[in-house]
Amino acid sequence: MRGCAVSVHDDNQAQAEFWTIAGDMWTAARERFDQQAGEHGVAAIDALEPQRGEHVIDIGCGAGSTTVELARRVGDGGRVTGLDISPTMVEGAAALVAQHELPNVTLRVADAMVDEFAGDADALYSRFGVMFFADAASGFANMRTALKPGGRLGFVCWQSPADNPWASTPLRIAAEFVDMPFGADPTAPGPFSLADADRLRSVLDSAGYDDVEIAGRSTPVALGSDLDDTADFIFQLMPPVAALAREDPAAAGEFRERLKGEFEPFSGDDGVMVPSATWIVTAVQPE
């Protein structure tokens, strides 16, 4: 899959390049990220209510944890298709699927904004994979073509940067040291592009979905066992920062100390516990 050709919208190329570089790092950190964000993802799966025998597409499947859980829910008579724009992410997902011996899972490298879907899916799901479209309405409209009439959409996305200092703080500091493909403009493609509930509803309405429901969910994120562990983890998740550590150790050291200072108020006996907040979103393909 590494190096394979895939149709990517021109405006999504920067995202594809970033997540391809990040794929190996995120795959290595899969279990830890699942411990942090997994509850949000499971809440979205519960809201989607995948049924035995259904075909579910996992948009932005990442390193495969959600794909495996969806496959468990739909059972042997169902099937799951995992899509991700990053070949390295899909490789990580393929290894996890093989480990769990799941013949009902298919994985593809694809850009869901322009992919040609067969229109045979009962449901679409995403854990933090739908905030990066260059054109959110076009992305969701194209995803809708994957669904049968009456098919369901369920996903989780982050609320505002202020509600998610676990992510917004590193992004804000990183922007002073390295170029990042997202972060400064909360409406641009990036983790907070769907943070405004009114805009999110407007995007889904314009993309043609019915029965849009948006529910808030908040829980602390265990970002690290202590401040040094937290800084190590953030370096692992942000390839430009990891590169900074190799190319400019002094700047990387300054970045690290800034991080530790910002997260010190969240550090305690249980580790570095930082607030996080998401939207759990469901919608329906018109009959």
Side-chain angles (χ1 to χ4, degrees):
M1 297 175 189
R2 198 171 299 235
C4 66
V6 58
S7 177
V8 175
H9 190 281
D10 287 346
D11 292 337
N12 290 334
Q13 287 290 346
Q15 296 290 342
E17 292 170 7
F18 176 86
W19 291 110
T20 297
I21 294 170
D24 290 333
M25 294 179 174
W26 279 68
T27 296
R30 174 173 49 215
E31 291 185 9
R32 184 162 175 175
F33 185 73
D34 288 344
Q35 290 172 356
Q36 295 168 341
E39 290 183 14
H40 289 301
V42 170
I45 293 177
D46 291 342
L48 181 65
E49 297 183 335
Q51 302 297 306
R52 309 288 286 185
E54 287 191 326
H55 176 206
V56 181
I57 300 178
D58 188 1
I59 303 290
C61 65
S65 299
T66 51
T67 307
V68 168
E69 176 60 18
L70 290 167
R72 185 187 70 80
R73 301 258 186 140
V74 301
D76 293 341
R79 58 192 176 102
V80 176
T81 302
L83 304 182
D84 202 283
I85 202 169
S86 163
T88 52
M89 289 284 201
V90 173
E91 284 184 1
L96 187 66
V97 167
Q99 177 184 329
H100 286 269
E101 299 180 346
L102 296 169
N104 62 338
V105 172
T106 301
L107 297 165
R108 289 198 294 115
V109 182
D111 180 354
M113 185 170 155
V114 295
D115 193 55
E116 294 185 7
F117 292 105
D120 63 347
D122 298 285
L124 296 173
Y125 170 81
S126 184
R127 184 183 77 176
F128 308 122
V130 293
M131 301 93 70
F132 302 95
F133 294 126
D135 184 329
S138 293
F140 278 104
N142 192 61
M143 284 166 51
R144 190 168 63 81
T145 66
L147 290 170
K148 299 175 181 177
R152 309 175 323 277
L153 169 69
F155 66 91
V156 57
C157 61
W158 299 112
Q159 293 189 35
S160 73
D163 292 318
N164 288 284
W166 74 272
S168 60
T169 297
L171 286 172
R172 172 172 50 80
I173 300 173
E176 300 177 24
F177 293 87
V178 295
D179 291 329
M180 295 289 290
F182 41 73
D185 180 358
T187 66
F192 305 114
S193 68
L194 301 177
D196 184 285
D198 290 336
R199 177 175 183 268
L200 173 53
R201 184 178 298 278
S202 176
V203 165
L204 294 175
D205 286 345
S206 66
Y209 292 88
D210 286 346
D211 301 330
V212 176
E213 298 288 343
I214 303 172
R217 188 178 190 280
S218 300
T219 188
V221 167
L223 201 53
S225 59
D226 57 28
L227 292 171
D228 282 315
D229 184 49
T230 295
D232 289 342
F233 181 57
I234 289 169
F235 270 68
Q236 184 177 12
L237 292 188
M238 301 174 74
V241 175
L244 183 70
R246 297 189 298 270
E247 298 164 4
D248 190 343
E254 182 183 347
F255 176 84
R256 184 184 188 89
E257 291 308 309
R258 288 274 304 280
L259 275 178
K260 291 168 63 177
E262 294 267 5
F263 285 123
E264 196 279 332
F266 302 105
S267 182
D269 293 340
D270 295 330
V272 181
M273 304 295 294
V274 189
S276 73
T278 57
W279 298 121
I280 306 296
V281 185
T282 57
V284 176
Q285 162 81 302
E287 294 280 0

